[in-house]
């Protein structure tokens, strides 16, 4: 039994990032991470839409905030995709189904996006300090944190 799952996860992420060439079906390659990152960046259009139309922030008034929120949200999401895929593939292997990592990608991306966007919208309703940038930033940060925690949680592993 592993006592410290977070260091193992970090090590796994680093290890999978290091495997730039020749990926087995059980490992995430650099190419996979880049694909995940691009998808995560595209998904950030949704929080940005909510900031613009719900919070009535103007992209041109807060360009650095938007940029920061996009990068932070996308980073959490990218990590979550990888974690979900790994956890899902591991479960598949335990059930003797093909544990091919790439087969878990659509599920992983859908699952992580769902958690991220739902938690983001809930937090958008809940979090309202007086400071617009702080509370909007908190929504992205906490939604990302929540998503990565849920996605890397695997009771069976």
């Amino acid at each position: 039994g592993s006592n410290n799952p977070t260091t193992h996860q970090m090590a796994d992420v680093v290890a999978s990032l290091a495997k730039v060439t020749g990926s087995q079906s059980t490992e995430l390659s650099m190419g996979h991470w880049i694909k995940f990152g691009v998808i995560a960046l595209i998904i950030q259009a949704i929080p940005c839409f909510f900031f613009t139309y719900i919070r009535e922030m103007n992209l041109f008034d807060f360009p650095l905030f938007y940029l920061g929120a996009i990068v932070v949200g996308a980073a959490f999401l990218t990590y979550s995709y990888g974690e979900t895929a790994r956890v899902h593939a591991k479960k598949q292997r335990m059930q003797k189904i093909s544990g091919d990592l790439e087969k878990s990608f659509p599920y992983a991306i859908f699952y992580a996006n769902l958690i991220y966007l739902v938690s983001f919208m809930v937090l958008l309703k809940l979090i309202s300090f007086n400071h617009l940038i702080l509370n909007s930033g908190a929504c992205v940060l906490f939604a990302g944190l929540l998503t990565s925690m849920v996605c890397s949680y695997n009771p069976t592993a």
Side-chain angles (χ1 to χ4, degrees), residues 4-11 79:
N4 197 340
T6 39
T7 43
H8 281 300
Q9 280 165 12
M10 289 312 287
Y79 171 77

Side-chain angles (χ1 to χ4, degrees), residues 21 23 64 102-103 115:
T21 51
S23 98
L64 283 175
E102 296 211 2
K103 290 202 178 78
I115 293 168

Side-chain angles (χ1 to χ4, degrees), residues 4-132:
N4 197 340
T6 39
T7 43
H8 281 300
Q9 280 165 12
M10 289 312 287
D12 285 352
V13 169
V14 171
S16 49
L17 281 172
K19 287 205 166 117
V20 178
T21 51
S23 98
Q24 303 88 38
S25 61
T26 53
E27 287 296 332
L28 286 162
S29 71
M30 195 63 175
H32 295 145
W33 285 112
I34 292 167
K35 264 181 223 155
F36 286 162
V38 169
I39 295 167
L41 281 169
I42 294 166
I43 295 295
Q44 291 309 106
I46 300 170
C48 288
F49 172 86
F50 278 92
F51 290 141
T52 307
Y53 293 101
I54 310 294
R55 286 268 158 95
E56 294 179 349
M57 296 169 77
N58 186 345
L59 174 62
F60 300 105
D61 293 343
F62 309 102
L64 283 175
F65 164 76
Y66 271 86
L67 191 67
I70 289 168
V71 169
V72 168
F76 273 119
L77 257 183
T78 304
Y79 171 77
S80 301
Y81 294 158
E83 280 300 287
T84 311
R86 271 179 1 129
V87 169
H88 188 251
K90 208 179 235 172
K91 282 182 183 157
Q92 298 282 72
R93 277 198 294 278
M94 287 172 91
Q95 294 163 4
K96 299 287 182 284
I97 311 165
S98 153
D100 187 6
L101 201 54
E102 296 211 2
K103 290 202 178 78
S104 301
F105 289 175
Y107 168 83
I109 289 163
F110 174 78
Y111 180 76
N113 285 342
L114 189 71
I115 293 168
Y116 178 71
L117 294 172
V118 167
S119 51
F120 173 78
M121 286 168 201
V122 169
L123 288 164
L124 204 63
K125 285 265 179 279
L126 293 180
I127 299 178
S128 53
F129 330 130
N130 298 335
H131 199 291
L132 190 63

